[in-house]
Amino acid sequence: MRSGIGRRLLWRYAPAALLYVILGSVLLEAARRIVLEGDAPPSPFSVVLLAVAILCPLIIFSTRQMVALAVSLEMAQLELLGVVSHAIAKRDDATEEHNFRVALMAAQLAGAIGLDRRLIPGLFVGALLHDVGKIGVPDNILLKPAGLSPEERREMELHVVHGDGILADANMPPGARGVVHYHHEHFDGSGYPEGRKGGEIPPEARLFAIVDVFDAMTSSRPYKQPMDLNEALEAMERGRGSHFDPAYFDIFAKIAGSLYAMVRNARVDDLQERILRLIENYYATLDPRRC
Ligand SMILES: [Fe+2]
């Protein structure tokens, strides 16, 4: 993934670091003069005040460095996930762009719905890997051009179970496995693998199901032309309350136009850049601005 993360972080944190070093030096010199050369001993209050004045910038700086490290680790992980996601897309008729588009749209919809922000990293990871379990589906079923028999369909549906198994031993952020395991559940309980209903389906999977179907409908595949925005919304409206969470769908319908415009003709590089900015913004909100 083309990130330039090191350069961005340098520009972002270097001025603050320089300021803190200068401020710390001035305060340390003042402390030395008071303690070693002053006529009157400093009061406990002034000592505490001085300590806070010195430590506060250092704590902020250290915390920001930790946040920067977290961002760079997250980006390294995303880069690897991008490779895996590309490999998964090569297994069937989906594309690398599909995985990036659904990741982006899922994050936007999560914001509009007010999903717990702690689930956002997991939502990204789950979106990029949602069909990782297709690796475990035999080629003669996965790549079969004609309709599947009931037995073959059951085998195909196992991709969500395979996917959950693949992620089970990995240290995934909260929500990632929920997306992978339950993105084919339906709100009325008619989905798979467990036939969960309504709130039994994790919220991250309920919202992901909406953008996954939307992107499939509005994308071209070797065997079909893409629907336009209105056609897709009309078709999906019929699944409101049965396939899709009705409350989530209503929110989605309000922002579908902007999601469509954001991703429809975007190149892979543009999609990756947008994901990078979202990740940075997510961590920036964890960055303390004051003691
Ligand atoms: Fe799937």
Side-chain angles (χ1 to χ4, degrees):
M1 185 176 285
R2 183 168 54 81
S3 67
I5 190 75
R7 194 169 58 250
R8 285 163 191 255
L9 293 173
L10 183 67
W11 279 109
R12 183 169 171 182
Y13 293 109
L18 188 62
L19 183 65
Y20 294 151
V21 168
I22 294 170
L23 183 62
S25 302
V26 170
L27 290 172
L28 280 171
E29 175 60 16
R32 189 189 66 78
R33 288 187 182 186
I34 290 171
V35 173
L36 300 180
E37 299 174 9
D39 295 332
S43 70
F45 177 73
S46 62
V47 170
V48 169
L49 200 63
L50 192 62
V52 169
I54 293 172
L55 289 177
C56 184
L58 292 176
I59 290 169
I60 292 175
F61 180 64
S62 302
T63 308
R64 285 184 172 180
Q65 284 209 310
M66 283 191 285
V67 170
L69 180 62
V71 172
S72 59
L73 288 174
E74 191 74 27
M75 293 316 303
Q77 187 188 31
L78 267 181
E79 193 160 336
L80 188 57
L81 289 176
V83 172
V84 175
S85 135
H86 194 177
I88 299 161
K90 289 283 185 197
R91 283 277 287 145
D92 66 3
D93 57 19
T95 62
E96 184 183 21
E97 287 92 331
H98 166 71
N99 293 331
F100 286 131
R101 283 195 301 262
V102 291
L104 266 179
M105 290 194 287
Q108 298 288 338
L109 181 55
I113 284 170
L115 186 79
D116 184 339
R117 285 181 54 77
R118 288 169 294 184
L119 294 172
I120 297 293
L123 184 62
F124 264 123
V125 174
L128 289 172
L129 298 181
H130 65 282
D131 276 340
V132 67
K134 285 185 176 175
I135 286 171
V137 177
D139 281 359
N140 64 320
I141 295 174
L142 187 67
L143 305 176
K144 189 175 180 181
L148 299 177
S149 69
E151 191 179 329
E152 289 169 334
R153 180 148 296 283
R154 277 194 293 278
E155 187 73 38
M156 176 68 103
E157 291 177 352
L158 283 177
H159 79 274
V160 293
V161 178
H162 296 322
D164 188 54
I166 289 168
L167 300 190
D169 293 330
N171 186 20
M172 288 285 141
R177 285 180 64 189
V179 172
V180 172
H181 201 176
Y182 299 115
H183 69 274
H184 287 295
E185 295 286 8
H186 290 189
F187 196 73
D188 64 1
S190 63
Y192 65 88
E194 297 174 10
R196 289 190 177 203
K197 284 184 182 176
E200 296 169 0
I201 308 166
E204 61 274 18
R206 268 181 278 150
L207 79 84
F208 179 78
I210 296 173
V211 296
D212 192 30
V213 170
F214 179 67
D215 195 70
M217 286 183 169
T218 54
S219 302
S220 60
R221 295 282 163 85
Y223 51 86
K224 75 168 187 72
Q225 291 294 311
M227 289 184 181
D228 67 24
L229 173 64
N230 291 329
E231 287 172 327
L233 279 177
E234 208 176 300
M236 290 178 70
E237 173 76 29
R238 292 193 282 275
R240 180 187 180 279
S242 53
H243 188 163
F244 309 116
D245 180 319
Y248 285 7
F249 182 80
D250 290 346
I251 295 170
F252 165 76
K254 287 181 185 157
I255 64 169
S258 64
L259 296 181
Y260 185 79
M262 176 180 71
V263 302
R264 189 44 32 211
N265 295 313
R267 295 175 300 123
V268 170
D269 281 357
D270 297 330
L271 295 167
Q272 289 175 337
E273 190 66 27
R274 280 181 178 275
I275 289 176
L276 169 70
R277 284 207 295 272
L278 277 174
I279 294 284
E280 283 184 328
N281 287 341
Y282 171 78
Y283 279 101
T285 61
L286 306 179
D287 189 359
R289 296 291 167 188
R290 52 184 176 266
C291 274

